[in-house]
Amino acid sequence: MARTVLRFVTHRIAQHPDTDVTYEAECLHCKWKAESSTDSAAVDVECMSHTGMSNHRGFRRICTAFAMVVRADEDKPSA
């Protein structure tokens, strides 16, 4: 009869070390889109400029990050 050994390892999720968070926005009233950026404030300024020129006030904001699941006891995630 075979025996099975079960081990439980604690994991955590972490941002991938080789990537940045990217911010985007698109207008809900037309096809306008802000240029993607790693600076959220720059995207917000583009949205406000679009509002000033078009009076469109609704935007869908998108924040994209890449993540990895790693063992909780690891110091740094490896790619």
Side-chain angles (χ1 to χ4, degrees):
M1 179 185 220
R3 296 181 110 188
T4 302
V5 176
L6 299 176
R7 286 191 266 159
F8 295 93
V9 179
T10 304
H11 288 81
R12 64 184 174 85
I13 192 162
Q15 183 175 329
H16 192 287
D18 299 330
T19 63
D20 292 319
V21 176
T22 304
Y23 301 92
E24 303 171 65
E26 52 191 46
C27 182
L28 297 176
H29 305 283
C30 68
K31 295 184 180 194
W32 177 89
K33 291 183 180 184
E35 188 173 330
S36 298
S37 176
T38 57
D39 180 12
S40 64
V43 174
D44 290 346
V45 168
E46 284 192 55
C47 291
M48 289 184 277
S49 294
H50 181 70
T51 297
M53 290 187 281
S54 66
N55 203 29
H56 296 167
R57 298 174 186 215
F59 298 90
R60 177 176 162 221
R61 296 186 348 167
I62 305 145
C63 174
T64 304
F66 295 93
M68 298 175 58
V69 174
V70 297
R71 286 186 173 189
D73 57 356
E74 285 184 15
D75 290 341
K76 292 170 75 177
S78 58

